[in-house]
Amino acid sequence: MKKIAIFASGTGSNARKIIEYFTNHQNIKVALVVSNRKTAPVLRMASENGVDTLVITRQSFYHSKSVLDVLDSYRIDAIILAGFLWLIPPYLVKNFPGRILNIHPALLPKYGGKGMYGSHVHQAVKAANEQESGITIHIVDEEYDKGRIIFQKSCPLEPSDSAEAIGKKVLQLEHRYFAPVIEEYLNIENQNNLKDEVI
Ligand code: GAR
């Protein structure tokens, strides 16, 4: 069984979809939800779904390795960032090489980087009169939105689409594709590990 931890800062609609998708799954389980905001709705949603939660502070996240201890105690194999707005510190990247995935609500490398999250992204897309937007799922490294892209899906935009309407189109894609992409990625990784073990 592969265990995942979801990191999220806000509403947690993606976290909810992921939890629902992996409920009773054969070999993947959401074991923990981590948030940097103790009032984040995602924490309540997780508890209601029987998933353990952890609240982190800047101090604990950036100046100690206590998060790592908790992740180890749950035997977490992979971290999924679903609307998590803090930069992942180097010690976590090192401990989860290729095993931290992020979803970004635009077609990277456009509209990524520090400050580009949520509605800011859609406002920038709208301001640039883009004819399409979409989602990017990528591996996390030590910079915002820079790691290897493993999946993208686009959606056409109309000139009349507001930033809010763009956000809705993009969120639909996130809800549809994020969990299956996580599943496929972890299962492929599983096979690679198996191969390594055989060699
Ligand atoms: C999602 O649209 C996600 O792509 C975005 O935050 C939203 C969280 O929504 N993430 C970023 O912008 C990261 N740069 P949710 O809390 O309803 O899942």
Side-chain angles (χ1 to χ4, degrees), residues 87-99:
L87 189 64
I88 298 299
Y91 73 84
L92 260 191
V93 176
K94 278 198 192 81
N95 275 274
F96 288 86
R99 289 186 288 126

Side-chain angles (χ1 to χ4, degrees), residues 97-189:
R99 289 186 288 126
I100 307 178
L101 298 184
N102 179 45
I103 191 158
H104 187 78
L107 297 171
L108 291 174
K110 282 178 153 185
Y111 308 107
K114 193 169 166 46
M116 273 295 175
Y117 60 88
S119 59
H120 299 284
V121 176
H122 308 307
Q123 280 156 13
V125 168
K126 171 75 189 164
N129 291 317
E130 293 284 0
Q131 290 178 358
E132 61 169 14
S133 190
I135 62 171
T136 302
I137 299 170
H138 65 94
I139 294 167
V140 171
D141 62 16
E142 289 166 16
E143 287 181 85
Y144 278 113
D145 305 325
K146 282 283 168 64
R148 181 165 69 84
I149 292 171
I150 59 170
F151 181 85
Q152 288 189 304
K153 191 84 188 173
S154 63
C155 56
L157 302 179
E158 303 299 330
S160 60
D161 282 340
S162 62
E164 198 187 8
I166 296 170
K168 279 190 183 152
K169 284 184 175 177
V170 169
L171 197 62
Q172 267 184 3
L173 292 179
E174 298 192 32
H175 290 170
R176 177 158 171 210
Y177 289 104
F178 199 12
V181 169
I182 294 166
E183 180 182 39
E184 193 182 352
Y185 183 76
L186 293 183
N187 284 335
I188 287 170
E189 217 212 0

Side-chain angles (χ1 to χ4, degrees), residues 22-54:
F22 291 117
T23 297
N24 301 323
H25 191 275
Q26 224 185 330
N27 60 338
I28 296 172
K29 177 186 160 83
V30 179
L32 185 67
V33 167
V34 176
S35 184
N36 57 312
R37 274 181 53 219
K38 63 173 187 284
T39 55
V42 68
L43 291 170
R44 187 169 179 177
M45 182 280 297
S47 299
E48 285 169 359
N49 283 280
V51 178
D52 287 356
T53 60
L54 172 73

